[in-house]
Amino acid sequence: MAGSTFGKNFTVTTWGESHGKALGAVIDGCPAGLSLSEAAIQEYLDRRRPGSAPLSTPRKESDQCEILSGVFEGKTTGTPISVMVRNTDQISKDYSAIASLYRPGHADYTFDAKYGFRDYRGGGRSSGRETIGRVMGGAVAALILKELGIKVHAIVTSDLFEVPAQDSIGGVITCTIKGLPAGIGEPVFSKLDARLCEACMSIGAVKAIEIGDGIKVASMKGSENNDAFAVDQSGNIITKTNHCGGILGGMSTGGDVILKAYVKPTPSISLEQETVTREGTPTTISVGGRHDICIAPRAAVVVEAMCAMTVLDLLYENMHARMDRILDFYAKD
Amino acid sequence: MAGSTFGKNFTVTTWGESHGKALGAVIDGCPAGLSLSEAAIQEYLDRRRPGSAPLSTPRKESDQCEILSGVFEGKTTGTPISVMVRNTDQISKDYSAIASLYRPGHADYTFDAKYGFRDYRGGGRSSGRETIGRVMGGAVAALILKELGIKVHAIVTSDLFEVPAQDSIGGVITCTIKGLPAGIGEPVFSKLDARLCEACMSIGAVKAIEIGDGIKVASMKGSENNDAFAVDQSGNIITKTNHCGGILGGMSTGGDVILKAYVKPTPSISLEQETVTREGTPTTISVGGRHDICIAPRAAVVVEAMCAMTVLDLLYENMHARMDRILDFYAKD
Amino acid sequence: MAGSTFGKNFTVTTWGESHGKALGAVIDGCPAGLSLSEAAIQEYLDRRRPGSAPLSTPRKESDQCEILSGVFEGKTTGTPISVMVRNTDQISKDYSAIASLYRPGHADYTFDAKYGFRDYRGGGRSSGRETIGRVMGGAVAALILKELGIKVHAIVTSDLFEVPAQDSIGGVITCTIKGLPAGIGEPVFSKLDARLCEACMSIGAVKAIEIGDGIKVASMKGSENNDAFAVDQSGNIITKTNHCGGILGGMSTGGDVILKAYVKPTPSISLEQETVTREGTPTTISVGGRHDICIAPRAAVVVEAMCAMTVLDLLYENMHARMDRILDFYAKD
Amino acid sequence: MAGSTFGKNFTVTTWGESHGKALGAVIDGCPAGLSLSEAAIQEYLDRRRPGSAPLSTPRKESDQCEILSGVFEGKTTGTPISVMVRNTDQISKDYSAIASLYRPGHADYTFDAKYGFRDYRGGGRSSGRETIGRVMGGAVAALILKELGIKVHAIVTSDLFEVPAQDSIGGVITCTIKGLPAGIGEPVFSKLDARLCEACMSIGAVKAIEIGDGIKVASMKGSENNDAFAVDQSGNIITKTNHCGGILGGMSTGGDVILKAYVKPTPSISLEQETVTREGTPTTISVGGRHDICIAPRAAVVVEAMCAMTVLDLLYENMHARMDRILDFYAKD
């Protein structure tokens, strides 16, 4: 499908630009019978809102979501859920500077290269505000997972500190998925780790992903990296260590899934930088305005959202992996 | 689609197990009119063959490919290309040990958890031999890219050394994509980096992926990480540095795309390890047989294959990004 | 993908119920640089509006569309276009009758069977109002096709007449696609006719589809059904007749594509009919309210919309069918 | 995906041409634990084999299938099943006539228009032999459906008679699906009837599809076409008649699903017909060789195969339609 729909059986289609009328998501594949309210989605949205986290932009956005379809008398109906957030805090200003210049570290140039022109009012579709749709989709996925006893949680695990001058810093987000049964993920191209990586690397500022021990595995010996199998007190098969980050052969082991996402420093800085105009004339730029010093604190809930959607989609796919379970499912019908 | 098909418009469907009759790939979406021979595909296959690289298994596999469809008088016809490799060097042996035990670091347990049982003759579908189909698909993609002046190349960039005892080691593979025009990749979920990550993380032993500066970005300042724009001698817009690894906003900058894949040590080691039986009884295992000490050297061509398929698929998708170019395309028709 | 997204590269995701807050579509894969206004979409919407056609419901719906994203300074940007129509003419009434009974010919029972319950205020997601999203998506596709010189047009070709008592009638819609170049459609599963059929049969009331001579071919001889090839005055290869409806082997011939869709009579009639309650108690029902006597006149633009989206999607897919054209496309880049 | 893969969660990728080395299918998404043998697939293949049906070609093809992967000790493993049939009865002959001429009613011209050239040895990819892959995929789907108590059966329901001279005739195939539970199919674009239509219209010679009363609905009144609901002796809700062909709102009613496919006469006839050369010079052609007088008898099993795959795919998709059933499924895990 075109690139604004995520997922295969649980799909989230997002739309909207930073300076357009609104942003939203259409969530399709949500089962019928889930209790769902705007308040439940809002709880997730509030975690990505400016001002909700350290080092974030002073831009004020209420970001109130409105459910437009798919819910009847407080329950999902199985039909697509459309959720929307109106843009309200757009300061009308002169965008002529960034209209004609390429901001370093931003997608201005690549947008022009692809489409011939761009919506130059802020980041447009590559703005951080695009993640509003992701978070709303992820909120619904997380609510379903919660009913299944699966918890996805992401936090910043790097040091956050103010930087001198008018600069910015990067950060690390660690996401843990607890309660996932063993065997989730498909063995070849649609591995659990492959799908999680795609999901998280599709978040604007992420530049590296690790599963379990991550880059360290390259300098480890097999005897150090292999996780011995054992049996817990309930008789369940477990791994004694978790170097593998809860995934073997692309399928969950039943242990915690551990993923780390590395986020680059906010590219918008007011320090003067070299750049060129659209016509290729060298010049300099200083990006003013209201920006996060570090994106990581607000991006944690986005990582969580992407992981929740991915895991749910693979839980669906796993439902037809075994003949006996398909028979059992339809026997009750 | 089910998890054995990769790609959207250029698709590769792989099949086959380590100890079955054969392994293969169906390559769909190859344009008509490409010169293609078994020899051209074989060149790629030979790079992943045992014995072709340092620290690899002594298992002998000729791995001769046979094209079964899609090529007529030396040219592709636009119809699906079926390519197959027969398994020939299967030593008939007693698999009862691994049939009843879970090898640490392998997918034995997760396969059982998902499917209820498994083909216990070697790795089955999660064997390294599964990558034969990927390499054959990647070879065709690479040949198309070559005509377009795009070169994908992967090499091992970590130290390779023999390890003491009967252990194994991990490694690092760096893949560089040269000649990719700017603007390739879709801005939201189907970003170039997201798709490359999914592609490479779906390779069995990979546990981390970096784009450009990768994990380092988390501890960098914006002023260090941003790549200044400049103009080269031909008047093209370029970045003066390449911290971003040739990708901004999920789209190529026109600079080299740089990806690193971190490969875990071969899990098959003859050192004794703790494990459990299928029934959950603690025991130990020593995995004999013919295994690579380090997978990285043979996996480089697999990384290359996955990247080639990904890039080609996104080049297709980019063809309908602009109204003027669609008009131009069909005007000539 | 889940069932509310249509298409592969040009995708339209629809949402909304008859008695919810709004209905809408997210159109993804529209190229950058197309002139697009709400007025242009409104023109299509007005053709499906109640009162716009003979034998249609007196329900008044202004159905004004609002573009929420994807358009900047009158041009599409290549990002998803979100369009919405607010529901305004919902008469607040007592739905307890249809909440507990199954209306014959409607999807009430099958919705309950699938989801366990349903939004019983009118047709919910299976209401004719669901087609609003389709028409908005089709309008955008048709505008792109128009630039390419391709015209999709559907009209009612059966007799329309008032029926006695309080009954309803069916009808026939004939859709003609003019100007489509030869070779559009993919030869096996994704044939032009297969895709058009899926598209049109997905419209609520359609029960049969014919391509070209349709059902008549079953009683024809090869000598009658084959279309002889000839050359027109400009030297182009054409067929002298068009029994095949402009499609051979799933690909367009360059002649007019002809499709007929057979629409069932409106199931909502005020005549008394036998039915059962949700609990299975036999009873009778007379469906009051404001309904179309014949759906066909208002459904013509829906058929047109579905065909336009299908054809555009296949035009995209065709762009990477030939190596020489891919080379040519990227050579200009 | 590119056009040779059918289905979303149960996928079948077919490959092969009439005069290539072999034809085959990769069946992905088959659950683990199904008993499967070559003999079981062969039973379906034999029904489409030349000579198995009235009015069929004297071309002799043994069409013996070989399973290459995905089955271990007589059971499917959940991994892709590759099945192949070698071409054996290719008469080496002079194809220069059809290489340079366009056979009326065939895809020769449209293939050239799309790809620039074609494999002119027989029908290539648009040959009836392409359906071998479909039948093998359908056989596996049908075996799964059988375990679920669902039976798909297609027969010829038009008169078959010899035609004078060296002509051919068309025919009608009626397919009945029994035992399908209510609620299968997705309400909007992925309706059961839409998907069945796409599936059957993708078979080479099919030119019309009807569901239930089909084209007759256009001239019926609502009071005639609506199926009254009733309760059977076991207390199940049923429809008293089946004008709807077992489908309402795109979902199964629990009654028999009835589909009719109208097949055109074999285009290969030895009567002289007008045509043009590749260069556009008018000429005549008489198509010799061994051809079916009527395709319908051999195509019945292909219709059955396409319907079986479609129904299974939608049964999978239906498994995550309700929150309570998802909870129930994973509770047992």
Side-chain angles (χ1 to χ4, degrees), chain D residues 187-234:
Chain D
V188 182
F189 296 118
S190 197
K191 287 186 165 80
L192 174 56
D193 33 4
R195 293 282 296 274
L196 286 171
C197 266
E198 180 197 26
C200 293
M201 191 59 97
S202 80
I203 303 169
V206 174
K207 297 301 281 187
I209 306 276
E210 294 184 311
I211 301 293
D213 282 1
I215 68 164
K216 268 179 282 180
V217 301
S219 50
M220 287 170 93
K221 283 183 272 186
S223 55
E224 296 164 334
N225 184 247
N226 282 349
D227 298 301
F229 285 106
V231 173
D232 71 8
Q233 290 172 325
S234 316

Side-chain angles (χ1 to χ4, degrees), chain A residues 1 8 110 114 167-168 170 183 185 191 202 207 209 211 222-223 226 231 240 244 248 267 273-274 280 318 322, chain B residues 1 8 110 114 167-168 183 185 191 202 207 209 211 222-223 226 231 240 244 248 267 273-274 280 318 322:
Chain A
M1 75 212 75
K8 181 178 166 186
T110 51
K114 185 176 196 76
D167 217 330
S168 61
K191 286 186 165 81
S202 80
K207 298 301 280 185
I209 306 275
I211 301 293
S223 55
N226 283 348
V231 173
K240 292 181 79 170
C244 69
L248 284 174
Q273 302 171 82
E274 290 178 72
N318 182 61
R322 289 170 60 160
Chain B
M1 74 212 75
K8 182 179 166 184
T110 51
K114 186 177 196 74
D167 217 331
S168 61
K191 287 186 164 81
S202 79
K207 299 301 281 186
I209 306 276
I211 301 293
S223 56
N226 283 348
V231 173
K240 292 182 77 169
C244 69
L248 284 174
Q273 300 171 82
E274 289 179 73
N318 181 62
R322 289 170 61 161

Side-chain angles (χ1 to χ4, degrees), chain B residues 27-61:
Chain B
I27 302 152
D28 201 14
C30 178
L34 177 77
S35 296
L36 186 68
S37 65
E38 285 165 355
I41 296 176
Q42 194 63 43
E43 209 175 292
Y44 281 82
L45 266 187
D46 288 351
R47 288 173 55 201
R48 74 159 293 292
R49 202 170 51 185
S52 67
L55 309 188
S56 73
T57 171
R59 178 168 164 162
K60 285 194 193 79
E61 291 152 354

Side-chain angles (χ1 to χ4, degrees), chain A residues 193 209-227 242-245 247-248, chain B residues 158-159 161 163 167-173 201 203-209 215 260-267 293-296:
Chain A
D193 33 3
I209 306 275
E210 293 184 310
I211 301 293
D213 282 1
I215 67 164
K216 266 180 285 179
V217 302
S219 49
M220 288 170 90
K221 283 182 271 187
S223 55
E224 295 163 335
N225 184 249
N226 283 348
D227 298 301
N242 192 12
H243 298 293
C244 69
I247 304 175
L248 284 174
Chain B
S158 57
D159 286 336
F161 48 91
V163 287
D167 217 331
S168 61
I169 54 162
V172 184
I173 295 164
M201 191 59 96
I203 302 169
V206 174
K207 299 301 281 186
I209 306 276
I215 68 165
K260 283 188 191 167
Y262 291 79
V263 176
K264 73 176 186 180
T266 317
I293 293 164
C294 181
I295 293 164

